[in-house]
Amino acid sequence: MGAQKSIHAGKAKIDVNVDFTHKICASMMLPSLRNTGSPLSLVIGSLCIKHPNLFGGSEKLDVSWDKGLYDSNILVAYRRPRPQWVAQQCFVMQHSLSPEIGVHGVPVDNFSRSGSGGVNLSRLSVGLDLNEPASSKWSSTTSIKFENVRLLSDDGRSITRDLDGFPVTCSGNAHDSMVVLKQESQYAKATDHSFSRFTMQIEQGIPVLSKWLIFNRFKFVASKGIKLGPAFLLTSLTGGSIVGDMAPYQAFAIGGLGSVRGYGEGAVGSGRSCLVANTEVTIPLSKMLEGSVFLDCGTDLGSGRLVPGNPALRQGKPGSGVGLGYGLRFKSPLGHFQVDYAINAFQQKTLYFGVTNLAS
């Protein structure tokens, strides 16, 4: 059950998408994170407002709001026209609210799922994005933003400690503040039979004030795809590390869909460093359906104990894990649907559902 509607108001366009069905699917996959008695908790959806010429000089304004079962995200982006050979500027203001399952979630059912740890992340960021002119294979984005991070309980109250009494912020106060300079570069190359992609992200916390966080965090993703007759082999390697000031919510969470399947989100571990490898082979079964087999593995490289409060050790996470399974990929004009069935090192089976690239 759902509804989509596009409304044109002058030059502005408003897209509304409301969906009542996600609640049914989520109840099959996830343990209950909290008691949500409100009828609005059954609804997920999105609202998008776009204006292509805000002040008559081709200025673009995009406002979007996405609501999930337990999370929400509001984004305001304003762009001014600039020559194509110089960096494109975009003023961005964003507020997001989501359960902090990856680090503070409690593994259940032999680490195959993660339940609520009573910690939710509220993040407000304001800043500027600079998109450098792309070459044939390289693209680059630089941003500088002020971020304010506040941790909340499941009932919306500000907290400074988790359920075990350990601090959930770096400062020890109800919120952390920081100015973050971020550089993201991507290399992509594709042929008829293969593709290669490499992405590097570097974040630097700038000490504008003495109490603000100072850190350096980097993450890379390298992937390679090769066509082997009718089949397609995809491999990827993801890694990262952080040095300097650190709050638990900045740790690298390992486990779950997009990481090590067969485990709940963050159920393998959470550390200052991580390394995750994925291998998947897909075979076409029909014009719209593909079958796949995959092998995932990940580790925190022994860095879980270096996270403040050591949440991974307190929750009994192993720090490394392997997942093996198979799945189906269904491609339709409405989007791409993914179903994966995986088993972890504790011989616990997990079923994943995924939906991507929905048509607007």
Side-chain angles (χ1 to χ4, degrees):
M1 295 180 294
Q4 295 182 354
K5 183 69 175 178
S6 293
I7 303 172
H8 292 270
K11 294 183 178 180
K13 181 183 179 183
I14 302 174
D15 295 323
V16 182
N17 178 27
V18 181
D19 189 357
F20 297 89
T21 61
H22 184 79
K23 179 72 173 181
I24 301 174
C25 296
S27 64
M28 299 168 57
M29 298 187 298
L30 300 173
S32 178
L33 296 179
R34 65 189 69 155
N35 183 16
T36 54
S38 170
L40 291 178
S41 66
L42 302 176
V43 180
I44 71 167
S46 61
L47 172 66
C48 182
I49 302 174
K50 297 183 179 182
H51 200 297
N53 191 19
L54 187 62
F55 299 116
S58 298
E59 302 90 349
K60 296 181 180 180
L61 176 67
D62 294 337
V63 181
S64 63
W65 173 55
D66 296 291
K67 179 189 176 299
L69 286 176
Y70 310 110
D71 60 333
S72 66
N73 184 73
I74 300 174
L75 176 66
V76 179
Y78 172 74
R79 301 174 179 85
R80 296 181 60 187
R82 304 191 73 191
Q84 294 183 354
W85 59 86
V86 299
Q88 302 299 304
Q89 297 180 355
C90 179
F91 173 79
V92 178
M93 181 169 62
Q94 184 175 13
H95 179 266
S96 62
L97 176 64
S98 60
E100 182 42 84
I101 300 297
V103 176
H104 294 283
V106 180
V108 295
D109 295 339
N110 283 335
F111 301 92
S112 65
R113 299 188 299 170
S114 296
S116 172
V119 179
N120 300 271
L121 193 66
S122 174
R123 185 189 300 268
L124 173 66
S125 64
V126 180
L128 190 67
D129 288 342
L130 299 174
N131 295 303
E132 299 291 339
S135 66
S136 59
K137 297 177 182 179
W138 284 95
S139 61
S140 177
T141 301
T142 303
S143 66
I144 183 165
K145 295 178 182 178
F146 166 78
E147 295 187 4
N148 181 272
V149 179
R150 185 178 298 271
L151 283 303
L152 307 174
S153 63
D154 285 344
D155 57 9
R157 295 181 295 105
S158 292
I159 57 175
T160 59
R161 296 182 179 274
D162 61 21
L163 297 178
D164 295 327
F166 288 85
V168 291
T169 60
C170 180
S171 63
N173 300 322
H175 64 87
D176 285 333
S177 296
M178 64 198 86
V179 171
V180 180
L181 177 65
K182 180 178 178 180
Q183 173 74 38
E184 180 173 350
S185 300
Q186 178 173 290
Y187 169 85
K189 180 182 178 180
T191 66
D192 294 336
H193 302 284
S194 67
F195 80 88
S196 302
R197 183 181 297 116
F198 179 79
T199 302
M200 171 69 80
Q201 296 178 356
I202 300 177
E203 295 177 280
Q204 177 66 55
I206 302 175
V208 177
L209 297 179
S210 59
K211 294 184 178 180
W212 289 10
L213 274 62
I214 310 172
F215 63 90
N216 183 274
R217 188 179 195 267
F218 82 90
K219 179 181 178 180
F220 72 87
V221 180
S223 57
K224 177 74 173 181
I226 304 175
K227 191 173 182 180
L228 302 174
F232 192 80
L233 171 66
L234 175 63
T235 62
S236 66
L237 182 66
T238 303
S241 187
I242 180 172
V243 295
D245 296 336
M246 178 186 181
Y249 57 80
Q250 293 179 300
F252 293 93
I254 309 165
L257 188 63
S259 179
V260 182
R261 285 163 286 189
Y263 293 82
E265 182 180 352
V268 173
S270 53
R272 275 187 174 264
S273 303
C274 77
L275 197 62
V276 176
N278 310 95
T279 301
E280 179 170 307
V281 178
T282 58
I283 303 173
L285 303 178
S286 69
K287 184 177 180 181
M288 302 176 66
L289 186 65
E290 294 179 339
S292 69
V293 292
F294 57 83
L295 174 66
D296 302 332
C297 56
T299 174
D300 64 6
L301 301 173
S303 65
R305 59 185 175 80
L306 302 178
V307 177
N310 200 348
L313 177 64
R314 287 187 280 120
Q315 295 153 7
K317 297 180 180 180
S320 61
V322 177
L324 176 67
Y326 58 88
L328 293 174
R329 311 286 183 263
F330 179 73
K331 299 179 181 180
S332 76
L334 295 177
H336 295 179
F337 299 84
Q338 173 179 339
V339 180
D340 286 333
Y341 183 78
I343 183 171
N344 63 25
F346 299 91
Q347 298 185 355
Q348 182 66 41
K349 304 175 181 65
T350 307
L351 187 65
Y352 297 95
F353 294 88
V355 183
T356 59
N357 300 328
L358 284 178
S360 56

